[in-house]
Amino acid sequence: METRIALVGIMVEDAEAAERINQVLHQYSRYIIGRMGLPYREKGLSIISVVLDAPNEAISALSGKLGMIPGVSTKTLYAKK
């Protein structure tokens, strides 16, 4: 199965969403190359970057599941190769 490299940017405006976010990320952990989280306390926001090497369907599913969590926004960027 062909895979792609993608960066999923996650903005978390509701800290209560953290457990659900971690559950979803755990479901796709076999595809995750790396993850970085930055709390921006002054704005009440957390920013998470997740880099994946995964099939298109898995990337879309992950981003979609995260985006359905209240207080969470996502955007996905794909490598050209």
Side-chain angles (χ1 to χ4, degrees):
M1 181 175 286
E2 190 171 329
T3 63
R4 294 185 72 185
I5 304 298
L7 169 67
V8 178
I10 307 163
M11 296 283 184
V12 184
E13 296 179 33
D14 181 2
E16 298 295 318
E19 185 175 340
R20 290 183 62 192
I21 292 167
N22 285 324
Q23 288 172 349
V24 173
L25 291 175
H26 180 72
Q27 291 174 4
Y28 294 88
S29 61
R30 67 181 172 270
Y31 301 119
I32 296 174
I33 298 170
R35 170 182 170 179
M36 178 179 64
L38 301 168
Y40 192 3
R41 291 179 186 88
E42 293 82 13
K43 299 287 183 177
L45 181 70
S46 292
I47 304 149
I48 304 169
S49 300
V50 180
V51 180
L52 305 161
D53 184 358
N56 278 335
E57 298 81 20
I59 296 166
S60 295
L62 169 66
S63 184
K65 287 179 182 181
L66 290 170
M68 289 191 296
I69 299 171
V72 176
S73 309
T74 66
K75 205 57 136 170
T76 304
L77 176 68
Y78 292 89
K80 292 184 180 184
K81 293 183 178 184

Coordinates of all heavy atoms in Angstrom, one line a residue:
M1 N 0.8 -1.2 0.0 CA 0.0 0.0 0.0 C 0.9 1.2 0.0 O 1.8 1.3 0.8 CB -0.9 0.0 1.2 CG -1.9 1.2 1.3 SD -3.0 1.1 2.6 CE -4.1 -0.1 2.0
E2 N 0.6 2.2 -0.9 CA 1.3 3.4 -1.0 C 1.0 4.3 0.2 O -0.1 4.5 0.6 CB 1.1 4.1 -2.3 CG 2.0 5.2 -2.6 CD 1.8 5.7 -4.0 OE1 1.5 5.0 -4.9 OE2 2.1 7.0 -4.2
T3 N 2.1 5.0 0.7 CA 1.9 5.9 1.8 C 2.4 7.3 1.4 O 3.1 7.4 0.4 CB 2.6 5.5 3.1 OG1 4.0 5.4 2.8 CG2 2.2 4.1 3.5
R4 N 1.9 8.3 2.1 CA 2.4 9.7 1.9 C 2.8 10.2 3.3 O 2.4 9.8 4.3 CB 1.2 10.5 1.4 CG 0.8 10.1 0.0 CD -0.3 11.0 -0.5 NE 0.3 12.3 -0.9 CZ -0.4 13.3 -1.3 NH1 -1.7 13.2 -1.4 NH2 0.2 14.5 -1.6
I5 N 3.7 11.3 3.2 CA 4.1 12.0 4.3 C 3.1 13.2 4.5 O 2.9 13.9 3.5 CB 5.5 12.5 4.2 CG1 6.5 11.4 3.9 CG2 6.0 13.3 5.4 CD1 6.6 10.3 5.0
A6 N 2.6 13.4 5.7 CA 1.7 14.5 5.9 C 2.0 15.1 7.3 O 2.5 14.4 8.2 CB 0.3 14.0 5.9
L7 N 1.6 16.4 7.4 CA 1.7 17.1 8.7 C 0.3 17.5 9.0 O -0.4 18.2 8.3 CB 2.6 18.3 8.5 CG 2.5 19.3 9.7 CD1 3.2 18.7 10.9 CD2 3.3 20.6 9.3
V8 N -0.2 17.0 10.2 CA -1.5 17.4 10.7 C -1.3 18.4 11.8 O -0.7 18.1 12.8 CB -2.3 16.2 11.2 CG1 -3.7 16.6 11.7 CG2 -2.5 15.1 10.1
G9 N -1.8 19.6 11.5 CA -1.8 20.7 12.6 C -3.1 20.7 13.3 O -4.2 20.6 12.7
I10 N -3.0 20.7 14.6 CA -4.1 20.6 15.5 C -4.2 21.8 16.5 O -3.2 22.0 17.2 CB -4.1 19.3 16.3 CG1 -3.9 18.1 15.4 CG2 -5.4 19.1 17.2 CD1 -3.5 16.8 16.2
M11 N -5.3 22.5 16.5 CA -5.4 23.6 17.4 C -6.5 23.2 18.4 O -7.6 22.8 18.1 CB -6.0 24.9 16.7 CG -5.0 25.4 15.7 SD -3.7 26.3 16.6 CE -2.9 27.0 15.1
V12 N -6.1 23.3 19.7 CA -7.0 22.8 20.8 C -7.4 24.0 21.6 O -6.6 24.6 22.3 CB -6.3 21.7 21.7 CG1 -7.3 21.2 22.7 CG2 -5.7 20.6 20.8
E13 N -8.7 24.4 21.6 CA -9.2 25.5 22.3 C -9.9 25.1 23.6 O -10.2 25.9 24.4 CB -10.1 26.3 21.5 CG -9.4 26.9 20.2 CD -10.4 27.7 19.4 OE1 -11.3 28.3 19.9 OE2 -10.2 27.7 18.1
D14 N -10.1 23.8 23.8 CA -10.8 23.2 24.9 C -9.9 22.2 25.6 O -9.7 21.1 25.0 CB -12.1 22.6 24.6 CG -12.9 22.1 25.8 OD1 -12.4 22.2 26.9 OD2 -14.0 21.5 25.5
A15 N -9.3 22.5 26.7 CA -8.3 21.5 27.3 C -9.0 20.2 27.7 O -8.3 19.2 27.8 CB -7.7 22.2 28.6
E16 N -10.3 20.2 27.9 CA -11.1 19.0 28.2 C -11.0 18.0 27.0 O -11.3 16.8 27.2 CB -12.5 19.3 28.5 CG -12.7 20.2 29.7 CD -12.2 19.5 31.0 OE1 -12.5 18.3 31.2 OE2 -11.6 20.2 31.8
A17 N -10.6 18.4 25.8 CA -10.5 17.5 24.6 C -9.3 16.7 24.6 O -9.2 15.8 23.8 CB -10.6 18.4 23.4
A18 N -8.3 16.9 25.5 CA -7.0 16.3 25.5 C -7.1 14.7 25.5 O -6.4 14.1 24.7 CB -6.1 16.8 26.6
E19 N -8.0 14.2 26.3 CA -8.1 12.7 26.4 C -8.6 12.1 25.1 O -8.1 11.1 24.6 CB -9.0 12.4 27.6 CG -9.0 10.9 27.8 CD -9.8 10.5 29.0 OE1 -10.1 11.3 29.9 OE2 -10.3 9.3 29.1
R20 N -9.6 12.8 24.5 CA -10.1 12.2 23.3 C -9.1 12.4 22.1 O -9.0 11.5 21.3 CB -11.4 13.0 22.9 CG -12.6 12.6 23.9 CD -13.9 13.2 23.5 NE -14.3 12.8 22.2 CZ -15.3 13.4 21.6 NH1 -16.0 14.4 22.1 NH2 -15.7 13.0 20.4
I21 N -8.4 13.5 22.1 CA -7.3 13.6 21.1 C -6.3 12.5 21.3 O -5.9 11.9 20.3 CB -6.6 15.0 21.3 CG1 -7.6 16.1 20.9 CG2 -5.4 15.1 20.4 CD1 -7.1 17.5 21.3
N22 N -5.8 12.2 22.5 CA -4.8 11.2 22.7 C -5.4 9.8 22.3 O -4.6 9.0 21.8 CB -4.4 11.2 24.1 CG -3.4 12.4 24.4 OD1 -2.6 12.7 23.5 ND2 -3.5 12.9 25.6
Q23 N -6.7 9.6 22.5 CA -7.2 8.3 22.1 C -7.2 8.1 20.6 O -6.8 7.0 20.1 CB -8.7 8.2 22.6 CG -8.9 8.0 24.1 CD -10.3 8.1 24.6 OE1 -11.2 8.5 23.8 NE2 -10.5 7.8 25.8
V24 N -7.6 9.2 19.9 CA -7.5 9.1 18.4 C -6.1 8.9 17.9 O -5.8 8.1 17.1 CB -8.2 10.3 17.8 CG1 -8.0 10.3 16.3 CG2 -9.7 10.4 18.1
L25 N -5.2 9.7 18.5 CA -3.8 9.6 18.0 C -3.2 8.2 18.3 O -2.5 7.6 17.5 CB -2.9 10.6 18.7 CG -3.2 12.1 18.3 CD1 -2.3 13.0 19.1 CD2 -2.9 12.3 16.8
H26 N -3.6 7.6 19.4 CA -3.2 6.2 19.8 C -3.7 5.2 18.7 O -3.0 4.3 18.4 CB -3.7 5.8 21.2 CG -3.2 4.5 21.6 ND1 -1.9 4.2 21.9 CD2 -3.9 3.3 21.7 CE1 -1.8 2.9 22.2 NE2 -3.0 2.3 22.0
Q27 N -4.9 5.4 18.2 CA -5.4 4.5 17.2 C -4.6 4.5 15.9 O -4.5 3.5 15.2 CB -6.8 4.9 16.8 CG -7.9 4.7 17.9 CD -9.2 5.3 17.4 OE1 -9.4 5.8 16.3 NE2 -10.2 5.3 18.3
Y28 N -3.9 5.6 15.6 CA -3.1 5.8 14.4 C -1.6 5.8 14.7 O -0.8 6.2 13.9 CB -3.5 7.0 13.7 CG -4.9 6.9 13.1 CD1 -6.0 7.3 13.9 CD2 -5.1 6.4 11.9 CE1 -7.3 7.1 13.4 CE2 -6.4 6.3 11.4 CZ -7.5 6.6 12.2 OH -8.8 6.5 11.7
S29 N -1.2 5.3 15.9 CA 0.2 5.5 16.4 C 1.2 4.7 15.4 O 2.3 5.2 15.3 CB 0.4 4.9 17.8 OG 0.0 3.6 17.9
R30 N 0.7 3.7 14.8 CA 1.7 3.0 13.9 C 2.1 3.8 12.7 O 3.1 3.5 12.1 CB 1.1 1.7 13.4 CG -0.1 1.8 12.5 CD -0.7 0.5 12.1 NE -1.9 0.6 11.4 CZ -3.1 0.6 11.9 NH1 -3.3 0.5 13.2 NH2 -4.2 0.7 11.1
Y31 N 1.4 4.9 12.4 CA 1.7 5.8 11.3 C 2.5 7.0 11.7 O 3.0 7.8 10.9 CB 0.5 6.2 10.5 CG -0.4 5.1 10.0 CD1 -1.7 4.9 10.4 CD2 0.2 4.2 9.0 CE1 -2.4 3.8 9.9 CE2 -0.6 3.2 8.5 CZ -1.9 3.0 8.9 OH -2.6 2.0 8.4
I32 N 2.5 7.3 13.0 CA 3.1 8.6 13.5 C 4.6 8.5 13.5 O 5.2 7.6 14.2 CB 2.5 8.9 14.9 CG1 1.0 9.2 14.7 CG2 3.2 10.2 15.5 CD1 0.3 9.4 16.1
I33 N 5.2 9.4 12.8 CA 6.7 9.6 12.8 C 7.1 10.4 14.0 O 8.1 10.1 14.7 CB 7.2 10.2 11.5 CG1 6.8 9.4 10.3 CG2 8.7 10.5 11.6 CD1 7.1 10.1 9.0
G34 N 6.4 11.5 14.3 CA 6.7 12.4 15.4 C 5.6 13.3 15.8 O 4.6 13.5 15.0
R35 N 5.7 13.8 17.0 CA 4.6 14.7 17.5 C 5.2 15.7 18.4 O 6.1 15.4 19.1 CB 3.6 13.8 18.3 CG 2.6 14.5 19.1 CD 1.8 13.4 19.8 NE 0.9 14.0 20.8 CZ 0.1 13.4 21.5 NH1 0.0 12.1 21.5 NH2 -0.7 14.1 22.4
M36 N 4.7 16.9 18.3 CA 5.1 18.0 19.1 C 3.9 18.8 19.6 O 3.1 19.2 18.8 CB 6.1 18.9 18.4 CG 6.6 20.1 19.2 SD 7.8 21.2 18.3 CE 6.7 21.8 17.0
G37 N 3.9 19.1 20.9 CA 2.8 19.9 21.4 C 3.3 21.2 22.1 O 4.3 21.1 22.8
L38 N 2.6 22.3 21.9 CA 3.0 23.5 22.5 C 1.9 24.2 23.2 O 0.9 24.5 22.5 CB 3.5 24.5 21.4 CG 4.7 24.0 20.5 CD1 4.9 24.9 19.3 CD2 5.9 24.0 21.4
P39 N 1.9 24.3 24.5 CA 0.9 25.1 25.2 C 1.1 26.6 25.0 O 2.2 27.1 25.2 CB 1.0 24.6 26.6 CG 2.5 24.3 26.7 CD 2.9 23.8 25.4
Y40 N 0.0 27.3 24.6 CA 0.1 28.7 24.6 C -0.9 29.3 25.6 O -2.0 29.6 25.3 CB -0.3 29.2 23.1 CG 0.1 30.6 22.8 CD1 0.7 31.5 23.7 CD2 -0.3 31.2 21.6 CE1 1.0 32.8 23.4 CE2 0.0 32.5 21.3 CZ 0.6 33.3 22.2 OH 0.9 34.6 21.9
R41 N -0.4 29.3 26.8 CA -1.3 29.6 28.0 C -1.9 31.0 27.9 O -3.0 31.2 28.3 CB -0.5 29.4 29.3 CG -0.1 28.0 29.5 CD 0.7 27.8 30.8 NE 1.1 26.4 31.0 CZ 2.2 25.9 30.4 NH1 3.0 26.7 29.8 NH2 2.5 24.6 30.6
E42 N -1.1 32.0 27.4 CA -1.6 33.3 27.3 C -2.9 33.4 26.5 O -3.7 34.3 26.7 CB -0.6 34.3 26.8 CG 0.6 34.5 27.6 CD 1.7 33.3 27.5 OE1 1.6 32.5 26.6 OE2 2.5 33.3 28.4
K43 N -3.0 32.5 25.5 CA -4.2 32.5 24.6 C -5.2 31.4 24.9 O -6.2 31.3 24.3 CB -3.8 32.4 23.1 CG -2.9 33.5 22.7 CD -3.7 34.8 22.5 CE -2.8 35.9 21.9 NZ -3.5 37.1 21.6
G44 N -4.9 30.6 25.9 CA -5.7 29.5 26.3 C -5.8 28.4 25.1 O -6.9 27.9 24.9
L45 N -4.7 28.2 24.5 CA -4.7 27.4 23.3 C -3.5 26.4 23.3 O -2.5 26.7 23.9 CB -4.5 28.3 22.1 CG -4.5 27.8 20.7 CD1 -5.8 27.3 20.3 CD2 -4.0 28.9 19.7
S46 N -3.7 25.2 22.8 CA -2.6 24.3 22.6 C -2.5 24.0 21.2 O -3.5 23.8 20.5 CB -2.9 23.0 23.4 OG -2.8 23.2 24.8
I47 N -1.2 23.8 20.7 CA -1.0 23.6 19.3 C -0.2 22.3 19.2 O 0.8 22.1 19.9 CB -0.2 24.7 18.7 CG1 -0.9 26.0 18.9 CG2 0.1 24.5 17.2 CD1 -0.1 27.2 19.0
I48 N -0.7 21.3 18.4 CA 0.0 20.0 18.3 C 0.3 19.8 16.8 O -0.6 20.0 15.9 CB -0.9 18.9 18.8 CG1 -1.4 19.1 20.2 CG2 -0.2 17.6 18.6 CD1 -2.5 18.2 20.7
S49 N 1.5 19.4 16.5 CA 1.9 19.0 15.2 C 2.2 17.5 15.2 O 2.9 17.0 16.0 CB 3.2 19.7 14.7 OG 3.0 21.1 14.8
V50 N 1.6 16.8 14.2 CA 1.8 15.4 14.1 C 2.2 15.1 12.7 O 1.6 15.5 11.7 CB 0.5 14.6 14.4 CG1 0.7 13.1 14.2 CG2 0.0 14.9 15.8
V51 N 3.4 14.4 12.5 CA 3.9 14.0 11.2 C 3.6 12.5 11.0 O 3.9 11.7 11.9 CB 5.4 14.3 11.1 CG1 5.9 13.9 9.8 CG2 5.7 15.7 11.4
L52 N 3.0 12.2 9.9 CA 2.6 10.8 9.6 C 3.3 10.3 8.3 O 3.5 11.1 7.4 CB 1.1 10.8 9.4 CG 0.2 11.3 10.5 CD1 -1.2 11.6 9.9 CD2 0.1 10.3 11.6
D53 N 3.4 9.0 8.2 CA 3.8 8.3 7.0 C 2.7 7.2 6.9 O 2.7 6.2 7.5 CB 5.1 7.7 7.0 CG 5.5 7.0 5.7 OD1 4.7 7.0 4.8 OD2 6.7 6.5 5.6
A54 N 1.6 7.5 6.1 CA 0.4 6.7 6.1 C -0.3 6.7 4.8 O -0.1 7.6 4.0 CB -0.5 7.2 7.2
P55 N -1.2 5.7 4.6 CA -2.0 5.8 3.4 C -3.0 7.0 3.5 O -3.3 7.5 4.6 CB -2.9 4.5 3.5 CG -2.1 3.6 4.4 CD -1.4 4.5 5.4
N56 N -3.4 7.5 2.3 CA -4.3 8.7 2.3 C -5.5 8.5 3.1 O -5.9 9.4 3.8 CB -4.7 9.0 0.8 CG -3.7 9.7 0.0 OD1 -2.9 10.5 0.6 ND2 -3.8 9.6 -1.3
E57 N -6.1 7.3 3.1 CA -7.3 7.1 3.8 C -7.1 7.2 5.4 O -7.9 7.7 6.1 CB -7.8 5.7 3.6 CG -8.2 5.4 2.1 CD -7.0 5.1 1.2 OE1 -6.0 4.7 1.7 OE2 -7.2 5.3 0.0
A58 N -5.9 6.8 5.8 CA -5.6 6.9 7.3 C -5.4 8.3 7.7 O -5.9 8.7 8.7 CB -4.4 6.0 7.6
I59 N -4.7 9.1 6.8 CA -4.5 10.5 7.1 C -5.8 11.2 7.2 O -6.1 12.0 8.1 CB -3.5 11.1 6.1 CG1 -2.2 10.4 6.1 CG2 -3.4 12.6 6.3 CD1 -1.3 10.7 5.0
S60 N -6.7 11.0 6.2 CA -8.0 11.7 6.2 C -8.8 11.3 7.3 O -9.5 12.1 7.9 CB -8.7 11.4 4.9 OG -8.0 11.9 3.8
A61 N -8.8 10.0 7.7 CA -9.6 9.5 8.8 C -9.2 10.2 10.1 O -10.0 10.6 10.9 CB -9.6 8.0 8.9
L62 N -7.9 10.2 10.3 CA -7.3 10.8 11.5 C -7.7 12.2 11.7 O -8.2 12.7 12.7 CB -5.8 10.6 11.6 CG -5.0 11.4 12.6 CD1 -5.4 10.9 14.0 CD2 -3.5 11.4 12.4
S63 N -7.5 13.0 10.6 CA -7.8 14.4 10.6 C -9.3 14.6 10.8 O -9.7 15.5 11.6 CB -7.3 15.1 9.3 OG -7.5 16.5 9.3
G64 N -10.1 13.8 10.2 CA -11.5 14.0 10.3 C -12.0 13.7 11.7 O -12.9 14.4 12.3
K65 N -11.5 12.6 12.3 CA -11.9 12.2 13.7 C -11.5 13.3 14.7 O -12.3 13.7 15.6 CB -11.3 10.9 14.1 CG -11.9 9.7 13.4 CD -11.3 8.4 13.8 CE -11.9 7.3 13.1 NZ -11.3 6.0 13.5
L66 N -10.3 13.9 14.5 CA -9.9 14.9 15.4 C -10.7 16.2 15.2 O -11.1 16.8 16.2 CB -8.4 15.3 15.1 CG -7.4 14.2 15.6 CD1 -6.0 14.5 15.0 CD2 -7.4 14.0 17.1
G67 N -11.0 16.5 14.0 CA -11.8 17.7 13.7 C -13.2 17.7 14.2 O -13.9 18.7 14.4
M68 N -13.7 16.5 14.5 CA -15.1 16.3 15.0 C -15.2 16.5 16.5 O -16.3 16.6 17.1 CB -15.7 14.9 14.6 CG -16.0 14.8 13.2 SD -17.0 13.4 12.7 CE -15.8 12.1 13.1
I69 N -14.0 16.5 17.2 CA -14.0 16.7 18.6 C -14.3 18.2 18.9 O -13.6 19.1 18.3 CB -12.6 16.3 19.2 CG1 -12.3 14.8 19.0 CG2 -12.6 16.6 20.7 CD1 -10.9 14.4 19.3
P70 N -15.3 18.5 19.8 CA -15.6 19.9 20.1 C -14.3 20.6 20.6 O -13.6 20.1 21.5 CB -16.7 19.8 21.1 CG -17.3 18.5 20.9 CD -16.2 17.6 20.4
G71 N -14.1 21.8 20.2 CA -13.0 22.6 20.6 C -11.7 22.3 19.9 O -10.6 22.8 20.3
V72 N -11.7 21.5 18.8 CA -10.5 21.1 18.1 C -10.7 21.4 16.6 O -11.7 21.2 16.0 CB -10.2 19.6 18.3 CG1 -9.0 19.1 17.5 CG2 -10.0 19.2 19.7
S73 N -9.6 22.0 16.0 CA -9.6 22.3 14.6 C -8.3 21.6 14.1 O -7.3 21.6 14.7 CB -9.4 23.8 14.3 OG -10.4 24.5 15.0
T74 N -8.4 21.1 12.8 CA -7.2 20.5 12.2 C -7.1 21.0 10.8 O -8.0 21.4 10.1 CB -7.4 19.0 12.1 OG1 -8.4 18.6 11.3 CG2 -7.6 18.4 13.5
K75 N -5.9 20.9 10.3 CA -5.5 21.2 8.9 C -4.4 20.2 8.5 O -3.5 20.0 9.3 CB -5.1 22.6 8.7 CG -5.2 23.2 7.4 CD -6.6 23.2 6.9 CE -7.0 24.5 6.3 NZ -8.3 24.5 5.7
T76 N -4.5 19.7 7.3 CA -3.4 18.7 6.9 C -2.7 19.2 5.7 O -3.3 19.8 4.7 CB -4.1 17.4 6.5 OG1 -4.9 16.9 7.6 CG2 -3.1 16.3 6.1
L77 N -1.4 19.0 5.7 CA -0.5 19.4 4.6 C 0.3 18.2 4.2 O 0.8 17.4 5.0 CB 0.5 20.5 5.2 CG 1.6 21.0 4.3 CD1 1.0 21.8 3.2 CD2 2.6 21.8 5.1
Y78 N 0.3 18.0 2.9 CA 0.9 16.8 2.3 C 2.2 17.1 1.6 O 2.3 18.2 1.0 CB 0.0 16.1 1.3 CG -1.2 15.5 1.8 CD1 -2.4 16.3 1.9 CD2 -1.3 14.2 2.2 CE1 -3.6 15.7 2.5 CE2 -2.4 13.6 2.7 CZ -3.5 14.4 2.9 OH -4.7 13.8 3.4
A79 N 3.2 16.2 1.7 CA 4.5 16.4 1.0 C 4.2 16.1 -0.5 O 3.3 15.4 -0.8 CB 5.5 15.4 1.5
K80 N 4.9 16.8 -1.4 CA 4.7 16.6 -2.8 C 5.2 15.3 -3.3 O 4.7 14.8 -4.3 CB 5.4 17.8 -3.6 CG 4.8 19.1 -3.3 CD 5.4 20.2 -4.1 CE 4.7 21.5 -3.8 NZ 5.2 22.6 -4.6
K81 N 6.1 14.6 -2.7 CA 6.6 13.3 -3.1 C 5.7 12.2 -2.6 O 5.2 12.2 -1.6 CB 8.0 13.1 -2.6 CG 9.0 14.1 -3.3 CD 10.4 13.7 -2.8 CE 11.4 14.6 -3.5 NZ 12.8 14.3 -3.1

